[in-house]
């Protein structure tokens, strides 16, 4: 078969193709810090157990620290021919300390090594993302406090439904993010067991101390089954699931920024730092940051689906398929971190057009539900009858091209004689939001109480 069919970079034939498909150093080199941490812990344990000499252990430790410094300064030469980060580090260690480097891999396999590195990496990422979620919650809580009594329309089906406060609207996202924080915290807790020492799949005959290496790496315990230890990737799936849900929440908020910053609504003024102009239309201010958050959510959800598909048919224990576990996870966790940073900055800088929001809150007869409730509470009508009467009054207001509170008392009494002038006390948007005082409602006092709750929560969980 002619090599021409492979084209370009594969001109050398099947050997080149095998190197290309087999090598992971292009993406797994970012595991270098975790790989070195795991190797240092492993070497220290081997010395303590008398499996390697203290002299070899000291040489290994010195060499690994030198390699870490070389990578951090950009002096390290990563080789595709050595396939992955583990072999790249091991080869360089041999160049530095000689034969002693070969003793480091005693009582372990690349299978438990990569599983350990990957867990350490995901654990580190989850801790960072958790901090970012708290930051965004703080930004939204502070803005909710400032807008506890700023009135805006609440929507169902993207149609004006009932007046709410902007602070209440923002706190809905704080509630979502708090659950996201809980999911990342739970995922971190559940994954915090060490695969190191499981070796290829069956464990090892060397007298290792897996509890020692687990403790050294900050794990709660070693994993209890060697086959599970090398082949489990549910920790990555759980991390991706939490990331996908969190990204979905941010995408919903991003969508609202896109919609409500447009001239049709005009509720928000986009900060210059998070918007762009048009190459041809000088009047445009495009919500690019919000749109990219919305788009990256698809990438994150896709990573979850991709890894599930990789794992769904794998028998125990390790298979090379698992090399495909990392790129999607790296990209998804990078993406959710970037989205959290962008959303925090954007929401902190976002300015609000209070008057525009207030005017919109009264449109579409948004206090009709308050009128129906008044008819039940004050006039004694059954709710279904009150609903019907309110519908007639809305139709009358539409016919007169006026708001509900612009109808005269006489007009209302022609529809329902039990109505009194007290009805006007519930027809303003201010009175409407103030009346929603049940726990979890939009009343400004309730919003401020919930703001205080989240401020305390952030202090306690910061």
């Amino acid at each position: 078969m002619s090599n021409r069919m492979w084209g370009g970079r594969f001109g050398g034939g099947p050997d080149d193709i095998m190197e290309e498909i087999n090598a992971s150093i292009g993406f797994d080199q970012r595991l270098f810090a975790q790989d070195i941490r795991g190797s240092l812990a492993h070497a220290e344990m081997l010395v303590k157990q008398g499996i390697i000499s203290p002299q070899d252990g000291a040489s290994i430790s010195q060499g690994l620290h030198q390699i870490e410094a070389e990578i951090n300064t950009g002096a390290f030469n990563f080789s595709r021919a050595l396939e992955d980060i583990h072999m790249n580090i091991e080869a360089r260690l041999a160049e530095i300390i000689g034969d002693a480097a070969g003793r480091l891999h005693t009582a372990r396999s690349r299978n438990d090594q990569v599983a350990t590195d990957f867990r350490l990496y995901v654990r580190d990422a989850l801790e960072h993302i958790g901090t970012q979620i708290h930051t965004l919650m703080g930004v939204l809580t502070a803005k909710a406090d400032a807008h506890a009594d700023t009135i805006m329309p609440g929507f169902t089906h993207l149609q004006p439904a009932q007046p709410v406060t902007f602070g209440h609207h923002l706190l809905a996202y704080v509630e979502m993010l708090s659950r996201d924080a809980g999911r990342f915290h739970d995922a971190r807790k559940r994954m915090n067991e060490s695969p190191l020492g499981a070796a290829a799949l069956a464990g090892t005959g060397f007298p290792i101390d897996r509890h020692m290496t687990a403790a050294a790496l900050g794990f709660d315990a070693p994993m209890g089954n060697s086959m599970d230890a090398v082949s489990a990737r549910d920790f990555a799936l759980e991390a991706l699931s939490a990331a996908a849900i969190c990204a979905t929440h941010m995408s919903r908020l991003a969508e609202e920024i896109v919609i409500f910053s447009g001239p049709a609504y005009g509720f928000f003024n986009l900060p210059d730092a998070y918007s762009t102009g048009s190459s041809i239309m000088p009047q445009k201010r495009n919500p690019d940051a919000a749109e990219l958050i919305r788009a990256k959510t698809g990438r994150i959800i896709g990573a979850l689906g991709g890894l599930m598909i990789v794992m769904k048919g794998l028998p125990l224990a390790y298979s090379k398929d698992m090399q495909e576990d990392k790129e999607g996870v790296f990209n998804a966790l990078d993406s959710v971190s970037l989205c959290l940073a962008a959303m925090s900055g954007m929401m902190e800088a976002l300015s609000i057009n209070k008057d525009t929001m207030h005017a919109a809150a009264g449109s579409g007869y948004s206090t009709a539900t308050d009128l129906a409730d008044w008819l039940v509470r004050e006039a004694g009508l059954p709710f279904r009858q009150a609903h019907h009467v309110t519908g007639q009054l809305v139709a009358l207001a539409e016919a007169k091209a006026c708001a509900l509170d612009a109808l005269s008392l006489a007009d209302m009494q022609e529809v329902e004689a039990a109505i009194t002038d007290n009805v006007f006390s519930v027809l303003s948007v201010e009175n409407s939001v103030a009346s929603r005082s049940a726990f979890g409602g939009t009343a400004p006092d309730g919003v401020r109480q919930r703001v205080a709750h989240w401020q305390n929560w952030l202090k306690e969980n910061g």
Side-chain angles (χ1 to χ4, degrees):
M1 186 178 295
S2 171
N3 288 336
R4 287 182 302 167
M5 73 170 290
W6 305 117
R9 66 192 301 180
F10 298 130
D15 288 347
D16 292 337
I17 298 165
M18 185 58 197
E19 179 180 311
E20 182 69 19
I21 196 171
N22 196 47
S24 59
I25 189 61
F27 54 85
D28 70 12
Q29 62 184 260
R30 72 160 68 190
L31 296 174
F32 78 90
Q34 290 78 18
D35 194 72
I36 290 171
R37 281 163 61 191
S39 290
L40 287 168
H42 186 66
E44 184 180 359
M45 181 273 297
L46 292 177
V47 170
K48 177 180 174 293
Q49 296 299 104
I51 299 171
I52 65 174
S53 71
Q55 293 79 12
D56 284 344
S59 295
I60 289 169
S61 177
Q62 176 268 320
L64 288 171
H65 284 298
Q66 179 178 329
I67 291 169
E68 185 169 31
E70 289 176 358
I71 296 175
N72 282 325
T73 59
F76 190 91
N77 180 36
F78 292 101
S79 169
R80 290 184 62 81
L82 292 171
E83 296 184 14
D84 57 32
I85 187 61
H86 323 297
M87 298 307 297
N88 269 261
I89 289 176
E90 185 173 320
R92 177 58 180 147
L93 185 63
E95 292 175 354
I96 297 171
I97 69 171
D99 290 343
R103 302 189 187 281
L104 173 59
H105 209 53
T106 306
R108 76 174 183 184
S109 161
R110 274 195 293 180
N111 292 356
D112 62 330
Q113 188 177 358
V114 68
T116 302
D117 294 355
F118 198 22
R119 278 181 186 260
L120 288 171
Y121 182 90
V122 173
R123 190 181 71 184
D124 291 344
L126 296 192
E127 290 172 356
H128 176 67
I129 290 169
T131 299
Q132 289 186 293
I133 291 174
H134 285 197
T135 297
L136 179 53
M137 289 176 67
V139 169
L140 295 177
T141 298
K143 205 168 217 57
D145 192 25
H147 292 281
D149 54 5
T150 297
I151 294 174
M152 69 173 289
F155 297 87
T156 62
H157 309 279
L158 204 56
Q159 304 295 316
Q162 292 178 271
V164 297
T165 58
F166 184 49
H168 189 59
H169 189 105
L170 291 172
L171 288 181
Y173 287 101
V174 174
E175 299 276 349
M176 294 180 213
L177 288 164
S178 73
R179 296 191 293 272
D180 291 326
R183 275 183 281 270
F184 281 110
H185 179 270
D186 290 348
R188 188 207 180 282
K189 182 178 180 181
R190 215 171 345 265
M191 69 173 289
N192 203 36
E193 293 183 340
S194 173
L196 191 58
L201 77 158
T204 178
F206 288 95
I208 62 173
D209 185 349
R210 293 188 63 209
H211 289 85
M212 177 182 173
T213 52
L217 295 171
F219 289 112
D220 295 329
M223 295 182 72
N225 182 284
S226 60
M227 297 180 75
D228 178 49
V230 300
S231 65
R233 293 297 184 269
D234 54 342
F235 69 92
L237 289 169
E238 190 169 8
L240 288 176
S241 177
I245 296 170
C246 181
T248 300
H249 290 154
M250 284 191 287
S251 184
R252 296 181 70 183
L253 180 53
E255 172 76 353
E256 293 185 340
I257 292 171
V258 171
I259 292 171
F260 294 146
S261 64
Y265 285 91
F267 293 173
F268 304 153
N269 295 317
L270 281 173
D272 289 342
Y274 294 93
S275 56
T276 64
S278 165
S279 63
I280 190 173
M281 296 170 283
Q283 84 281 7
K284 293 291 293 300
R285 177 178 285 187
N286 298 323
D288 283 11
E291 290 173 346
L292 287 167
I293 289 171
R294 192 173 59 185
K296 285 182 184 297
T297 298
R299 178 192 297 241
I300 296 163
I301 294 169
L304 172 60
L307 183 54
M308 282 186 164
I309 293 168
V310 167
M311 297 302 299
K312 72 174 182 61
L314 295 188
L316 292 175
Y318 181 82
S319 298
K320 191 68 170 180
D321 308 54
M322 292 182 192
Q323 184 169 289
E324 292 296 310
D325 60 359
K326 295 172 195 64
E327 283 185 281
V329 172
F330 292 159
N331 192 278
L333 295 180
D334 286 348
S335 294
V336 77
S337 177
L338 179 59
C339 289
L340 284 163
M343 186 62 81
S344 292
M346 187 163 43
M347 288 305 300
E348 190 166 32
L350 194 73
S351 62
I352 309 304
N353 296 322
K354 292 185 178 182
D355 291 343
T356 303
M357 281 180 145
H358 188 281
S363 66
Y365 306 102
S366 63
T367 58
T369 304
D370 300 272
L371 173 56
D373 289 346
W374 184 91
L375 289 168
V376 172
R377 187 174 58 250
E378 303 294 332
L381 273 63
F383 182 80
R384 285 301 171 201
Q385 184 181 349
H387 186 281
H388 179 73
V389 168
T390 300
Q392 290 180 293
L393 291 171
V394 168
L396 179 61
E398 285 179 331
K400 291 178 174 288
C402 68
L404 278 173
D405 59 357
L407 291 173
S408 69
L409 179 61
D411 286 337
M412 293 187 184
Q413 288 177 333
E414 283 186 14
V415 176
E416 174 52 58
I419 295 176
T420 69
D421 60 2
N422 179 256
V423 73
F424 293 101
S425 67
V426 301
L427 294 183
S428 71
V429 291
E430 288 81 7
N431 288 338
S432 175
V433 297
S435 71
R436 307 295 172 182
S437 57
F439 180 79
T442 192
D445 287 346
V447 171
R448 293 187 180 95
Q449 290 172 11
R450 204 64 187 155
V451 163
H453 164 82
W454 287 117
Q455 288 171 337
N456 290 333
W457 187 91
L458 287 167
K459 288 178 183 177
E460 293 171 0
N461 295 276

